[in-house]
Amino acid sequence: MLFGRKNKNPIKIADKGVVEWKYATCGYCSTGCSIEVGIDKKGEAVASRGVADADVNRGKLCIKGIYEHELFRKTRGRGNKPLIRENRWDEFQETNWDTALSKTADEIKRIQQQYGRDAFSIVSTGQIMTEEFYTLGKLARGVIGTNNYDGNTTLCMSSAVSGYKRSFGSDGPPGCYEDFEHTECLLAFGSNLPEQHPIIYWRLMDVREKHNFPLIVIDPRVTMFAQQADMHLAINPGTDLVLLNALAHVILAEKLHKPEYIEAYTQGYQEFAELVAQYDPVTASKICGIDEDTIRNVARVFAKAGAAMSIWTMGINQSTHGSDGVAAINNLHLITGNLGKPGAASLSITGQCNAMGTREWSSCSGLPGYRSLENEQDRKEISEFWGVDPEFFPKERGMFMTDILPAIETGEVKGLWLIATNPMTSMANTARIRKTLEKLEFLVVQDAYQDVETNQYSHVFLPAAIWAEKEGCFTNTERRVNIIRNVCEPYGESKTDLWIFNQMAKQFERGQNVIFPESAEGVFEELKTLSKGRMLDYSGMSYEKIEQSRGIQWPCNEEQSPQGTQRLYTDGVFQTASGKANLLALPFIDNNERPDKDYPFWLNTGRVVEHFHTRTRTGKVANGNKFSPTPYMEMNPDAAAELNIQHGTYARLSSRRGDAIVMVQLTQRVAKDTVFVPFHFHECVNRLALGLLDPHSRQPAYKQSAVHIERIENQQDAAQKNAMARSY
Ligand code: SF4
């Protein structure tokens, strides 16, 4: 195809030889873009394009989605055959599936018999299909029977889940992207939307061009998003809860709240009001580092809007008070009646493509379909449905991922099964994690890539299929269930995660008595049955209908909402025992590590648009690496001048946990006492992070650590060390 400039050097669009486009949902972030993968006549994936009639992305994809098909052809690092070794210092040997599965099952049985059922632990992901999550949950809860079973979503979404549950009685983001079209004010907390969720950002800015509602970004860093905002509140790191309480203070003090809504639909007002009375704007301004009138002004703009909306990501969640931050955002919405109507929502923007699927169906924190282990009726329903003795289920949830790893240190957990998660890069304090993994008697890693860093410590490696080498569903940030069709066959001898879980179940005596549907659609039909009449009702969905609609938002049942549901809580009835939402009194406790004379800088971490999480996939995509090739640090020029550090040179960052080498980018985007480093790179920023845990969600605070910075004299040596962090 030729474009423009007639006969003079016309631009050529390469013909990729696509003979068929196959429908799927992007396998990176939780935006949930509908994507089509182009297949050539040899059956190879050669192109990707956005789906024009999909409401989420309306034909667009971000840079990661555009090159998504490349993953099917990049086999570097992919797991081809199962691998096995006696000791982690031995060389891996290739083996067959029977041997790998029976070795794993034997080790699980040995550890459970020797040390107790919970001594074997399972940690999964937000990346596999909903049907796979459901099946893994059945295997973990109903067959293997360990209570130390969690997902890596504890590192990103656990505070949102916890905050929603504490405020509304249940998880489940109440709003949707369409709310942008109706809102009259948008608060964005700790979210650099253009880099994290570019298509949501595009949806937002597209609407904003048509009706110019106030956009207020709260972030210590002058992010790309902050640069687009009407107001940017560059608060001091870790002080969001103080700001939120102060906003509520002004709203109540100036009588801008909605007493009728509070009276009809909430409980706990008195205690909440007494607490926020202590957070006057003058005191809060000193803690937050912004002026008091800005706090008053934002509170007024939010409360006076006909419909107001909040979004947030890791700036709120990854904190020692992440759950409180989420609940405090919910408080603001409850006191102003900004829920359950168009343009009014507290919408957590999720991270991984199917973080919502694991929250709904994996049984990590309870039982499937937002059922809880603590509820006797829920245990009874699932035990009868699966054909398992109800006494086999624990009566309360076990450890979170961030508690499982310390439990390995203390010897409480002896064996671990990791599924599509890479703690050697993703967990804070890498040196400690390395020692922890070395202590395991048995580690099995199930991943599409055998070169993930964590696999260096495993005894068995199970090669899994990626994304569209299989079939199933993802749920996105706005509760939209969308489908992935089987685009390609799994690479080499890798298998779908569903197949692996089903085969593992057969290795256990208890697994012979529990039915495990073999096809993804069979599993989907099963979980639909379990969802009927519940908040997350899937019963009106089918694979065919999902594909035709380009995704359907739950709840969806045939009688009341066959097309799905855009918003929750439209009737003001919440999932608490009384049906009323909880207004929560949330005192601020400042327990973060803070800069001092030895470690004088705040270290902030975050994402870049080109990479996804630990770069297991994007580290292999050429264009992503060309745009973002190396770990770097944003540093304020004045701070750099004092340390004689120049733009483009390498510097050493050190904390009380470890050190890392990064390339310096001088910019005014960060304050003089703060630096920013992307978190994607191995042997880099998570060597430094402290990762204190939130008491409710157990999510780590990655964004507030104290570091020391020094100029490196031997730049050549530093360049080599920096290269280690981008070793893919
Ligand atoms: Fe994929 Fe997210 Fe990019 Fe959409 S915005 S193409 S879902 S990575």
Side-chain angles (χ1 to χ4, degrees), residues 26-33 60-66 68 196-199:
C26 175
Y28 287 119
C29 89
S30 69
T31 303
C33 296
K60 295 198 183 307
L61 295 173
C62 79
I63 183 171
K64 291 190 284 293
I66 286 167
E68 195 132 18
Q196 296 160 353
H197 299 91
I199 299 300

Side-chain angles (χ1 to χ4, degrees), residues 18 83 111 127 173 193-194 270 281 283 292 413 490 505 522 574 655 661 695:
V18 173
L83 305 174
I111 287 168
Q127 299 284 321
L193 211 57
Q270 202 53 42
T283 310
E292 57 185 85
V413 168
F574 294 86
S655 75
I661 308 280

Side-chain angles (χ1 to χ4, degrees), residues 408-568:
I408 297 169
E409 268 180 343
T410 56
E412 204 178 331
V413 168
K414 302 285 188 185
L416 179 62
W417 182 2
L418 293 174
I419 297 148
T421 191
N422 186 16
M424 270 304 295
T425 297
S426 62
M427 289 286 289
N429 201 344
T430 314
R432 183 177 170 192
I433 300 301
R434 176 178 292 114
K435 282 193 195 146
T436 302
L437 295 177
E438 284 175 357
K439 278 200 79 173
L440 283 165
E441 289 188 11
F442 181 71
L443 173 64
V444 51
V445 169
Q446 177 173 327
D447 204 294
Y449 294 91
Q450 65 185 41
D451 63 355
V452 286
E453 294 83 9
T454 306
N455 202 28
Q456 292 165 20
Y457 303 87
S458 78
H459 301 86
V460 171
F461 171 74
L462 305 176
I466 55 165
W467 178 61
E469 292 173 346
K470 49 191 184 176
E471 191 159 62
C473 292
F474 292 157
T475 308
N476 80 348
T477 282
E478 53 168 5
R479 292 169 286 102
R480 186 182 298 273
V481 179
N482 210 342
I483 195 162
I484 296 91
R485 293 298 191 183
N486 200 167
V487 168
C488 301
E489 287 306 305
Y491 170 68
E493 290 181 28
S494 67
K495 299 285 186 188
T496 68
D497 295 276
L498 182 63
W499 184 90
I500 298 170
F501 300 144
N502 280 345
Q503 298 308 309
M504 192 67 83
K506 290 180 188 160
Q507 303 279 333
F508 292 81
E509 205 183 311
R510 199 174 281 102
Q512 317 289 331
N513 305 321
V514 180
I515 295 168
F516 281 81
E518 292 205 347
S519 73
E521 196 162 5
V523 179
F524 189 77
E525 290 302 315
E526 183 171 314
L527 65 85
K528 261 172 65 180
T529 311
L530 275 176
S531 76
K532 196 164 174 56
R534 296 189 68 82
M535 184 186 180
L536 74 178
D537 198 335
Y538 276 40
S539 63
M541 300 183 199
S542 67
Y543 271 15
E544 200 187 337
K545 203 171 143 189
I546 293 169
E547 183 173 340
Q548 275 169 6
S549 311
R550 304 338 197 173
I552 299 174
Q553 288 165 282
W554 61 253
C556 168
N557 63 52
E558 271 155 9
E559 301 78 44
Q560 284 124 23
S561 51
Q563 305 308 319
T565 308
Q566 286 185 303
R567 293 173 192 90
L568 302 179

Side-chain angles (χ1 to χ4, degrees), residues 266-338:
T266 73
Q267 56 196 8
Y269 176 77
Q270 202 53 42
E271 206 187 328
F272 161 76
E274 282 166 19
L275 188 278
V276 298
Q278 300 165 32
Y279 289 80
D280 62 276
V282 179
T283 310
S285 70
K286 304 277 185 295
I287 300 170
C288 297
I290 56 173
D291 68 276
E292 57 185 85
D293 275 340
T294 297
I295 297 174
R296 290 195 189 93
N297 191 17
V298 170
R300 288 168 194 151
V301 171
F302 182 86
K304 288 179 181 173
M309 189 171 177
S310 300
I311 58 172
W312 72 91
T313 54
M314 296 309 127
I316 290 285
N317 290 348
Q318 288 181 336
S319 157
T320 55
H321 52 263
S323 172
D324 283 357
V326 173
I329 292 172
N330 294 336
N331 281 344
L332 277 190
H333 283 262
L334 289 168
I335 59 171
T336 53
N338 274 307

